[in-house]
């Protein structure tokens, strides 16, 4: 078994690295076969990336995408058991390779998170009626310490480009992509509605508020974060409006109440 493991490790190293030595005892015929297999393996992985990042490929063009995909696979060969995760980290690769075009990394990130949202764990979101019933008798301290767990498919980050319009134009190969910078600080939010991934742009204040929850923060922490954007009364109203919206679109999975009175 130990010998078999060594052969498997040598085979994998040779598959991922052209300069790695062949497994012990291999002849020229097997070396030629490895070269064919290696090329087919990489071509298949590039096809997987092209399928996952279809809009990114359309944005940068076939040649640039092929080079970026090959670079990513060489520098970050897949380590997961499923080929479905071969594109992990590709948005970071795009940020490095297309540093002068930050829209590329933003589109790649969005495609990856939409891809992950589709396969995220199922979670039944909390309804507005259930939330209202559960919090009907809350006192101020409980509201302050209330923890809102988000559904598993959620992802968010700051962005600088209008990804809604860019996403729409990139969906059609015959359309010219519209790359437009946003005038205000904005975040993109990804989640799953039923079986379908969805996304939208939200103001920075809401993005920061959701980030508090994503880190395990409390509703009081959300209100405190909003104090950087409004006075106390307006921050409380903003938090309440955001919470209502999150419940209506199904972003809240569970709640954990604060201390009893």
């Amino acid at each position: 078994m130990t010998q078999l493991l060594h052969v498997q490790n040598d085979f994998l190293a040779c598959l991922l690295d052209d300069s790695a030595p062949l497994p012990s005892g291999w002849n020229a015929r097997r070396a030629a076969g490895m070269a064919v297999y290696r090329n087919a393996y990489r071509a298949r992985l590039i096809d997987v990336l092209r399928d996952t990042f279809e809009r990114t490929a359309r944005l940068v063009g076939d040649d640039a995408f092929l080079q970026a995909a090959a670079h990513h696979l060489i520098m970050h060969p897949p380590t997961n058991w499923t080929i479905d995760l071969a594109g992990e980290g590709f948005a970071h690769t795009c940020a490095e390779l297309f540093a002068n075009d930050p829209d590329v990394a933003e589109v790649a990130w969005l495609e990856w998170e939409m891809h992950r949202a589709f396969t995220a764990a199922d979670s039944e979101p909390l309804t507005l009626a259930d939330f209202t019933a559960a919090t009907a008798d809350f006192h101020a301290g409980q509201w302050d310490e209330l923890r809102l767990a988000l559904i598993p498919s959620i992802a968010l980050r700051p962005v600088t480009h209008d990804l809604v319009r860019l996403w729409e134009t990139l969906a059609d190969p015959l359309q010219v992509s519209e790359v437009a910078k946003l005038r205000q600080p904005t975040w993109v939010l990804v989640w799953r509605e039923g079986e379908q991934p969805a996304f939208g742009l939200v103001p920075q204040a809401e993005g920061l508020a959701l980030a508090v929850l994503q880190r395990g923060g409390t509703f009081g922490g959300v209100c405190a974060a909003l104090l950087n954007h409004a006075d106390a009364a307006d921050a409380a109203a903003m938090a309440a409006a955001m919470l209502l919206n999150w419940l209506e679109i199904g972003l809240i999975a569970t709640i954990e109440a604060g201390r009893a009175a």
Side-chain angles (χ1 to χ4, degrees), residues 16-39:
L16 298 176
D17 184 356
D18 296 14
S19 62
L22 292 169
S24 178
W26 277 34
N27 55 25
R29 181 173 176 272
R30 288 179 175 176
M34 169 59 81
V36 173
Y37 186 79
R38 183 191 293 122
N39 288 336

Side-chain angles (χ1 to χ4, degrees), residues 48-49 51-55 82-88 107-121 153 155 167 190-192 195-199:
V48 169
L49 292 187
D51 289 342
T52 304
F53 299 97
E54 180 181 1
R55 284 174 168 83
T82 172
I83 200 172
D84 192 53
L85 297 178
E88 191 166 27
V107 171
W109 180 91
L110 179 55
E111 287 199 281
W112 179 246
E113 294 303 336
M114 294 280 277
H115 175 75
R116 286 180 58 84
F118 183 76
T119 58
S153 58
W167 186 265
V190 178
W191 75 100
R192 193 175 72 204
E195 299 299 323
Q196 294 300 318
F199 81 93

Side-chain angles (χ1 to χ4, degrees), residues 208-230:
L208 292 170
L210 283 166
V212 169
L213 298 183
Q214 199 173 42
R215 294 192 298 267
T218 64
F219 189 64
V222 168
C223 294
L226 293 177
L227 288 174
N228 294 321
H229 302 271

Side-chain angles (χ1 to χ4, degrees), residues 21 43 106 112 140 162 174 177 261:
E106 291 180 3
W112 179 246
D162 186 352
L174 300 180
S177 58

Side-chain angles (χ1 to χ4, degrees), residues 126-128 131-132 135 138 142-144 146-150 206 209-210 213 218-220 222-223 226 235-255:
L126 195 67
T127 67
L128 177 58
F131 179 85
T132 301
T135 59
F138 272 20
Q142 286 177 295
W143 276 106
D144 192 53
L146 177 65
R147 296 186 185 277
L148 307 163
L150 302 175
E206 185 170 359
L210 283 166
L213 298 183
T218 64
F219 189 64
V222 168
C223 294
L226 293 177
M238 289 171 62
M242 289 177 187
L243 177 56
L244 177 61
N245 180 58
W246 299 338
L247 288 164
E248 288 178 340
I249 65 177
L251 300 188
I252 308 299
T254 60
I255 64 172

